[in-house]
Amino acid sequence: AMSSLADTDHPSSDRRRDRRIDAPMTVVIGNTPYAIGDWSLGGARIVDYVGTLEPGDVAQLRVLVPTAGPGALFRTEGRVQRIDADSGSLGLEFEELDTVAFATLNRYFRERLFRGHA
């Protein structure tokens, strides 16, 4: 059964490595803030995207996490994985999260799961 893990990055596969939750979060691309539809520690799905990014592009992101403490606003890069023109959603994979960013996301993620709001 373990061998099936090898194909998780296959383009036609929609399985995700990370559990995704829909706790609110905002991503700013350029000067435009976007709401997040759902996200995980590996990436996020932006809703109502109106920009010019294409799959494979890397965007500078500012992520606003509605949580207290350090890292509630952090910068990272996101690689565009997929765009759904019909729904206007954009799938991003976080390229590099620094220690504070990862800790912040992880804390928020666990808070939400713990409260049962995910």
Side-chain angles (χ1 to χ4, degrees):
M2 289 302 286
S3 63
S4 65
L5 291 175
D7 63 358
T8 48
D9 286 332
H10 193 269
S12 66
S13 159
D14 203 40
R15 279 172 299 174
R16 313 252 194 243
R17 283 180 312 227
D18 306 301
R19 179 163 177 192
R20 297 171 85 82
I21 64 174
D22 60 4
M25 198 157 68
T26 303
V27 167
V28 181
I29 303 176
N31 291 313
T32 309
Y34 291 102
I36 296 293
D38 56 63
W39 59 277
S40 71
L41 297 175
R45 184 175 58 84
I46 289 173
V47 295
D48 299 328
Y49 179 71
V50 294
T52 57
L53 290 172
E54 300 285 343
D57 288 353
V58 174
Q60 301 298 316
L61 311 175
R62 279 177 293 162
V63 182
L64 290 85
V65 182
T67 185
L73 168 63
F74 63 85
R75 295 171 186 273
T76 188
E77 292 187 333
R79 182 176 296 276
V80 180
Q81 297 296 101
R82 66 188 67 78
I83 294 179
D84 184 341
D86 295 331
S87 67
S89 74
L90 175 79
L92 287 171
E93 187 173 284
F94 297 138
E95 286 284 275
E96 288 185 33
L97 294 176
D98 64 30
T99 311
V100 173
F102 186 83
T104 302
L105 275 184
N106 201 33
R107 186 176 70 229
Y108 183 45
F109 194 83
R110 289 171 184 282
E111 274 173 16
R112 299 296 293 203
L113 287 182
F114 182 72
R115 291 182 196 149
H117 289 166

